[in-house]
């Protein structure tokens, strides 16, 4: 036992070996991060400021945008700083915090997707009971439960993974603290306890997933029975973005869970990790802006107000300058 080395820092391995490629990677990550930042902040701003969007569905969407914003902020800024400075180390506490917060936001996002599927099911399949079931109190409880489930899940997994010290190696074949990589260098006791927790979590996830499948099957069955084309298009414009985001979340999550655990850094490993950590937060605002008519209308109203305000300021400045010239 005296010869064991207890690691308090980890060495992150990157596929980019040259300094130029590291800087190029940091610029790419920065562009993606700024795009996700702007898109999600714009979605939150529109929902908060536009009275037409003050409904339960958009309340959940604003929470989803906040989660996406926080989720990508857990990993990408640290990676950008590491690539720019050339320092590829991360402390044990930073690694544990990175895993804790990423699991928190990933679990909360899945919980919100379940709640949003239930919200759309009540709105389309039982519209007369919507106001009685989906109340402000119910929305607050659902949001609180989603965040609480993320907190509990992330705390349990993080405590299990960091319950024993790391003695095998401190090299992580990834640009961030990826869960499979942490388990790869963990002790057998940690792997067994985490395996038990993952099995229990997977049973809960499959139950929620089955609930969402049933909800969306009933939703689209009801939509196809609608006689009004306008009502059908409106229902599809509110449901299809949520379904696209759910599919993107499931595909990216499957890639993260089922993907191979690499023993060395590679371009394939980099692209896979980028897909499930950066693509969903970056794409979700784009999906909503392209598919949701009410958010598009809110954006048009905001742009119209902004242009009118700028024109008014320009005319007032022009009038003031003419008065001074006279």
């Amino acid at each position: 036992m005296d010869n064991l080395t207890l690691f308090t820092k980890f060495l992150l391995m990157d596929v980019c070996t040259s300094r130029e490629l590291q800087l190029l990677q940091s610029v790419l990550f920065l562009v993606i991060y700024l795009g996700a930042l702007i898109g999600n902040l714009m979605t939150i701003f529109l929902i908060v400021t536009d009275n037409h969007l003050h409904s339960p569905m958009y309340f959940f969407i604003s929470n989803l945008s906040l989660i996406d914003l926080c989720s990508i902020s857990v990993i990408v800024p640290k990676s950008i700083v590491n690539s720019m400075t050339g320092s590829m180390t991360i402390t044990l506490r930073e690694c544990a915090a990175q895993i804790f917060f990423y699991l928190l936001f990933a679990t909360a996002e899945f919980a919100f997707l379940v709640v949003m599927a239930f919200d759309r099911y009540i709105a389309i399949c039982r519209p007369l009971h919507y106001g009685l079931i989906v109340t402000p109190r119910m929305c607050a409880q659902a949001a609180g439960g989603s965040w609480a489930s993320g907190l509990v899940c992330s705390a349990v997994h993080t405590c299990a993974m960091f319950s024993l010290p790391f003695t095998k190696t401190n090299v992580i074949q990834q640009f961030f603290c990826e869960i499979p990589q942490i388990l790869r260098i963990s002790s057998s006791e940690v792997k067994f306890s985490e395996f038990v927790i993952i099995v229990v979590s997977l049973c809960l996830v499959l139950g929620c997933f089955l609930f969402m499948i049933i909800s969306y099957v009933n939703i689209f069955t009801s939509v196809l029975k609608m006689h009004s084309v306008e009502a059908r298009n409106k229902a599809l414009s509110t449901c299809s973005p949520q379904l696209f985001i759910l599919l993107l979340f499931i595909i990216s999550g499957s890639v993260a869970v089922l993907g191979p655990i690499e023993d060395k850094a590679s371009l394939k490993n980099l692209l896979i990790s980028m897909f499930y950590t950066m693509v969903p937060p970056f794409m979700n605002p784009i999906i909503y802006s392209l598919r949701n008519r009410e958010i598009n209308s809110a954006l048009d109203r905001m742009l119209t107000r902004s242009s009118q305000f700028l024109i008014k300021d320009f005319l007032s400045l022009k009038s003031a300058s003419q008065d001074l010239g006279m």
Side-chain angles (χ1 to χ4, degrees):
M1 293 294 293
D2 295 334
N3 294 326
L4 290 178
T5 302
L6 304 181
F7 296 107
T8 58
K9 286 187 177 181
F10 295 107
L11 179 63
L12 302 174
M13 302 302 292
D14 206 344
V15 66
C16 302
T17 54
S18 67
R19 185 63 183 152
E20 292 77 10
L21 289 177
Q22 286 181 346
L23 292 176
L24 182 62
Q25 175 183 309
S26 64
V27 171
L28 175 62
F29 282 13
L30 181 61
V31 170
I32 296 174
Y33 179 67
L34 290 177
L37 189 72
I38 294 170
N40 286 290
L41 283 176
M42 180 65 70
T43 303
I44 296 172
F45 178 78
L46 288 173
I47 293 173
V48 170
T49 57
D50 197 303
N51 294 328
H52 298 85
L53 301 180
H54 290 178
S55 65
M57 183 182 73
Y58 294 104
F59 169 74
F60 297 135
I61 291 176
S62 63
N63 276 270
L64 201 65
S65 295
L66 178 62
I67 290 172
D68 287 334
L69 181 63
C70 296
S71 163
I72 198 171
S73 299
V74 170
I75 295 173
V76 178
K78 174 67 176 176
S79 177
I80 294 173
V81 172
N82 284 348
S83 296
M84 287 185 172
T85 59
S87 172
M88 300 306 293
T89 59
I90 186 171
T91 65
L92 181 64
R93 290 184 178 181
E94 289 175 336
C95 186
Q98 203 171 68
I99 288 179
F100 174 82
F101 285 109
Y102 185 77
L103 282 174
L104 166 63
F105 298 127
T107 307
E109 181 166 358
F110 182 74
F112 269 104
L113 289 174
V114 174
V115 173
M116 292 166 72
F118 174 75
D119 172 75
R120 289 299 87 199
Y121 167 76
I122 299 297
I124 294 174
C125 300
R126 302 177 63 185
L128 298 178
H129 299 88
Y130 185 79
L132 298 175
I133 298 175
V134 186
T135 61
R137 183 178 180 181
M138 178 266 177
C139 292
Q141 290 174 345
S146 298
W147 285 103
S149 64
L151 184 63
V152 171
C153 179
S154 62
V156 170
H157 282 281
T158 307
C159 290
M161 282 186 283
F162 292 88
S163 58
L164 294 177
F166 294 88
T167 58
K168 291 182 180 180
T169 179
N170 67 334
V171 178
I172 298 176
Q173 302 292 344
Q174 190 55 273
F175 65 90
F176 66 100
C177 282
E178 189 182 42
I179 295 174
Q181 289 290 332
I182 293 297
L183 292 177
R184 183 180 64 85
I185 62 177
S186 299
S187 62
S188 56
E189 294 87 349
V190 170
K191 290 179 181 178
F192 177 76
S193 60
E194 183 63 15
F195 174 77
V196 174
I197 296 172
I198 288 174
V199 170
V200 175
S201 302
L202 188 60
C203 292
L204 295 174
V205 169
L206 289 177
C208 295
F209 183 61
L210 181 62
F211 170 78
M212 286 190 287
I213 290 177
I214 295 173
S215 298
Y216 279 109
V217 168
N218 290 327
I219 286 170
F220 283 101
T221 301
S222 300
V223 168
L224 292 176
K225 292 180 180 178
M226 292 179 179
H227 299 291
S228 173
V229 177
E230 184 179 356
R232 189 185 304 165
N233 291 335
K234 184 177 180 181
L236 288 174
S237 70
T238 58
C239 290
S240 56
Q242 295 182 16
L243 186 59
F244 288 154
I245 288 174
L246 175 62
L247 291 175
L248 182 61
F249 182 84
I250 291 172
I251 293 172
S252 59
S254 301
V255 168
V257 173
L258 302 177
I261 303 176
E262 300 288 344
D263 294 329
K264 62 179 181 178
S266 64
L267 180 60
K268 176 186 175 183
N269 195 22
L270 174 67
L271 294 176
I272 290 175
S273 57
M274 284 179 62
F275 177 76
Y276 74 81
T277 57
M278 301 184 194
V279 171
F282 179 78
M283 289 298 298
N284 287 353
I286 298 175
I287 292 173
Y288 274 119
S289 63
L290 291 178
R291 299 294 302 176
N292 192 291
R293 293 189 299 177
E294 294 187 12
I295 289 184
N296 278 329
S297 300
L299 181 60
D300 291 339
R301 287 192 293 269
M302 187 194 72
L303 294 176
T304 302
R305 289 195 302 267
S306 300
S307 61
Q308 290 175 350
F309 180 76
L310 291 174
I311 292 172
K312 184 178 179 181
D313 280 353
F314 175 75
L315 292 176
S316 61
L317 288 174
K318 184 178 180 180
S319 177
S321 62
Q322 290 176 349
D323 293 339
L324 290 175
M326 292 177 64

